[in-house]
Amino acid sequence: MEELKIYNTLTRKKEVFTPIQPKFVGIYVCGPTVYGHAHLGHAKSYISFDIIVRYFRYLGYKVRYVQNITDVGHLVTDADEGEDKIVKQARLEQLEPMEIAERYTRSYFEDMDMLNVLRPDISPRASGHIPEQIELAQRLLEKGYAYEVNGNVYFDVQKFKEYGKLSGRKPDELAAAVRIQPNPEKKHPADFAVWKRAEPGHIMQWNSPWGRGYPGWHAECSVMSTKYLGQPFDIHGGGIENMFPHHECEIAQSEAAFDKPFVKYWMHNNMVTVNGQKMGKSLGNFITIKNAVKKYSPLAIRFFVLSSHYRSPLDFSDQALEAAEKGLARFHQTFVRLLKAKPAQDGKDENFEKEIDSYRRKFIEVMNDDFNTPNALAQLFEFLKEINIWLDHGKDVAKETHKKAIKIIDETAGEVLGLLPEEYSEIEAKSSGDVDLIIQILIDVRAALRKEKNFALADEIRNRLSELNIELKDTPQGTIWEYR
RNA sequence: GGCGACGUACCCAAGUGGUUAAGGGAGAGGUCUGCAAAAUCUCGAUUCGCCGGUUCGAAUCCGGCCGUCGCCUCCA
């Protein structure tokens, strides 16, 4: 079996994945700051990592997936001044900051559930890990990697010689390119806050050895990842826009504090764009998931995300979403057709067993290549075509092979890609209860009419059912029906 | 200005040294059907932004140019 290869941002190469502990994967992904509804950018990010986690599990790994909730407000403009984002939203909605955090945390999970994104195993809140963040700052001070000025604790980037190894940024280059007024408290413009003094009126604040304050933006991820996964841990993921400064600073803090590597594989997913421009909260051009699902089905959004590689940007357009919607519908239709097919014989169909094995092999091969989901979808669609041809033949459909075909799709497109609903009935014609019996009567009557060549009445039955979104399809094996 | 990514058919998008350049959507034509729908078959880039170079051989490697985007400031 081919080995799983992951593109590691740290080395800028695809590397064979070898876990730190056998058969166990620890993965941490930067979660949302909860001060607004999640948008399609979040959807791409968390669907991508969902697939990665699901695929590891499919390969038999035990996965611990940690994704933080940032409920400590960080600043609206830059790292040193301005208003706290959560506090600002709290003022706008006239709620307590913690109500804002709670409201949008719930909203986030609702959206992710809709998109069939499995919940992380641990969703730690930044506000619940303040003591650990204070400890990190203290440790860095003790080791001389940080210094305190007026209640602020800054990390001294010049002391950490590997600063820049992830992003390729060097402190001196950064100093030359500063676009904002250098903070006079800092020794070097690239120094960043591990702990910040609370200004008067700052609502979210805690006691610390340096007075009232709150943690720096990067502290929570350093602390919460290693608390639950140890140091080093296997995979740290996040958006490419957080590579610098956020992830660079996490590395600096954690490695300086504990003198050992922080993370083995860094994974960065690319962004969603709208008309070629980044979709982001700051640009205000974002489409929330709640709005998107008014127009497109959640699984179609998922399909759309999977249709490009996680490291490529994904441009949102109605045309692309409609294409995804149709592609997904075609997959579901074929799957329903397979589910409903009546095997014509017992045992196996050796020829089709080979098709199934070939599909499984290719699926694993392309997923092993840095989670190539667009290629995985291509393999799926080629397999669907083979299924249709097989079902068209009818006579070859053997019981065991039929079961195996359903199982392989359930595993690959269902468990790994997450493109099947929990209950097949959501995409299946509901073939239980009275509805099915009543429609069967209509189908039988229509068959009789067609036999008498009374096509006008036969068509009326089909048209009137069609108005109820019930579609009749005359196949060589008889008439079948499904909800559109 | 510095760093990085990308440019493949009408749209989306794989492929990154070697048989006919995946797949989805849209389109054209055929088969099937009473007609549809679904399914299936065929067609569609002699060519991968442009120009040079390396190589027996490049969309794929190297150099230059053009274009788009991202990061350098909160951001998934």
Side-chain angles (χ1 to χ4, degrees):
Chain A
M1 171 95 48
E2 279 240 354
E3 292 166 303
L4 173 61
K5 291 200 186 79
I6 293 181
Y7 183 87
N8 188 352
T9 316
L10 199 56
T11 57
R12 316 245 159 195
K13 280 192 296 236
K14 277 184 198 171
E15 296 175 12
V16 172
F17 177 76
T18 44
I20 292 168
Q21 291 174 51
K23 285 294 171 200
F24 178 86
V25 182
I27 178 168
Y28 182 90
V29 173
C30 288
T33 303
V34 281
Y35 66 105
H37 293 300
H39 55 68
L40 291 177
H42 298 99
K44 173 170 162 67
S45 184
Y46 300 122
I47 287 171
S48 297
F49 286 108
D50 183 49
I51 298 290
I52 287 163
V53 167
R54 285 164 174 263
Y55 188 61
F56 272 117
R57 294 200 172 120
Y58 174 75
L59 294 180
Y61 286 96
K62 169 114 176 59
V63 179
R64 182 178 296 156
Y65 178 18
V66 181
Q67 186 192 99
N68 62 299
I69 295 288
T70 298
D71 61 352
V72 170
H74 295 293
L75 303 177
V76 175
T77 51
D78 59 61
D80 296 319
E81 52 191 276
E83 198 175 11
D84 174 311
K85 287 180 289 200
I86 289 177
V87 170
K88 182 183 175 189
Q89 191 64 30
R91 204 189 63 232
L92 290 173
E93 297 194 31
Q94 297 193 310
L95 293 170
E96 271 295 308
M98 266 304 164
E99 280 182 292
I100 291 296
E102 191 59 36
R103 163 173 298 192
Y104 289 111
T105 299
R106 290 181 196 179
S107 164
Y108 169 71
F109 282 123
E110 270 167 29
D111 291 348
M112 293 301 132
D113 290 349
M114 256 193 320
L115 294 171
N116 211 8
V117 170
L118 301 176
R119 296 212 179 179
D121 300 298
I122 304 177
S123 300
R125 270 73 166 169
S127 63
H129 297 73
I130 300 295
E132 290 90 339
Q133 296 182 73
I134 290 172
E135 278 170 33
L136 175 70
Q138 275 175 319
R139 196 176 172 93
L140 289 169
L141 282 170
E142 282 162 20
K143 297 191 73 174
Y145 281 108
Y147 54 94
E148 189 227 326
V149 186
N150 296 327
N152 292 308
V153 178
Y154 293 110
F155 187 89
D156 188 341
V157 295
Q158 288 164 297
K159 290 265 169 65
F160 186 73
K161 57 192 180 308
E162 289 187 297
Y163 190 82
K165 68 178 175 181
L166 177 69
S167 61
R169 301 287 155 76
K170 294 288 172 241
D172 293 346
E173 293 164 10
L174 289 164
V178 276
R179 297 197 304 194
I180 53 173
Q181 281 294 91
N183 181 339
E185 286 185 350
K186 292 180 181 177
K187 290 187 189 170
H188 187 280
D191 288 352
F192 57 91
V194 185
W195 183 264
K196 287 191 64 61
R197 175 187 65 240
E199 301 299 337
H202 197 106
I203 298 175
M204 295 180 116
Q205 51 171 274
W206 292 266
N207 278 323
S208 81
W210 317 284
R212 300 286 290 176
Y214 57 100
W217 174 37
H218 318 297
E220 61 179 272
C221 287
S222 278
V223 157
M224 296 193 288
S225 58
T226 53
K227 172 163 180 171
Y228 299 109
L229 298 173
Q231 182 168 334
F233 62 93
D234 295 296
I235 297 173
H236 188 128
I240 196 169
E241 78 282 0
N242 277 334
M243 201 163 113
F244 186 89
H246 186 50
H247 297 153
E248 193 68 63
C249 295
E250 283 184 47
I251 293 174
Q253 288 171 342
S254 295
E255 298 194 350
F258 296 100
D259 297 309
K260 52 188 175 185
F262 178 46
V263 168
K264 196 166 176 191
Y265 303 92
W266 279 91
M267 296 184 72
H268 289 94
N269 69 282
N270 218 312
M271 280 157 303
V272 176
T273 58
V274 184
N275 299 320
Q277 283 230 307
K278 175 184 171 179
M279 177 182 293
K281 286 184 178 172
S282 39
L283 287 173
N285 63 341
F286 58 88
I287 298 164
T288 62
I289 293 164
K290 289 187 194 329
N291 273 330
V293 296
K294 288 177 188 165
K295 203 164 173 188
Y296 308 104
S297 66
L299 288 185
I301 293 170
R302 197 174 165 99
F303 185 97
F304 171 63
V305 168
L306 298 188
S307 70
S308 94
H309 189 84
Y310 76 89
R311 282 189 286 114
S312 300
L314 178 62
D315 195 57
F316 172 87
S317 69
D318 283 308
Q319 203 178 14
L321 258 298
E322 276 159 24
E325 194 83 67
K326 284 178 184 165
L328 179 74
R330 205 155 85 75
F331 160 48
H332 283 349
Q333 272 170 28
T334 302
F335 187 58
V336 168
R337 187 182 177 203
L338 178 67
L339 285 175
K340 291 185 149 191
K342 302 265 190 303
Q345 52 181 282
D346 288 335
K348 291 181 181 178
D349 173 352
E350 293 299 341
N351 282 332
F352 202 71
E353 294 269 333
K354 279 181 199 149
E355 293 288 348
I356 294 172
D357 292 339
S358 163
Y359 165 63
R360 187 203 309 271
R361 202 168 49 245
K362 286 179 193 156
F363 180 85
I364 291 171
E365 187 184 314
V366 301
M367 286 299 285
N368 275 347
D369 183 15
D370 196 27
F371 312 97
N372 193 335
T373 55
N375 205 336
L377 287 179
Q379 302 311 323
L380 173 66
F381 274 89
E382 292 207 14
F383 183 53
L384 294 178
K385 183 167 154 181
E386 296 303 329
I387 287 175
N388 274 315
I389 292 170
W390 189 54
L391 296 179
D392 279 346
H393 287 163
K395 291 191 194 74
D396 298 335
V397 178
K399 208 170 184 174
E400 276 183 46
T401 307
H402 179 245
K403 268 190 188 161
K404 187 171 170 180
I406 292 170
K407 184 162 176 271
I408 186 74
I409 290 185
D410 189 72
E411 283 175 1
T412 55
E415 279 175 37
V416 177
L417 300 181
L419 291 174
L420 288 172
E422 192 104 338
E423 298 294 328
Y424 291 164
S425 58
E426 287 178 36
I427 56 168
E428 228 176 353
K430 295 187 180 51
S431 52
S432 61
D434 295 342
V435 176
D436 194 52
L437 296 172
I438 293 163
I439 291 175
Q440 197 53 49
I441 292 169
L442 289 167
I443 287 173
D444 291 345
V445 170
R446 179 167 167 272
L449 289 169
R450 292 174 72 207
K451 214 165 187 176
E452 292 168 13
K453 302 212 184 295
N454 188 344
F455 297 121
L457 264 185
D459 284 352
E460 184 169 351
I461 290 174
R462 186 173 62 193
N463 292 339
R464 305 247 332 238
L465 286 173
S466 176
E467 284 167 19
L468 303 173
N469 284 331
I470 291 165
E471 194 114 40
L472 299 190
K473 293 174 183 176
D474 299 328
T475 72
Q477 288 85 37
T479 300
I480 60 168
W481 72 275
E482 61 188 42
Y483 283 112
R484 197 160 34 203

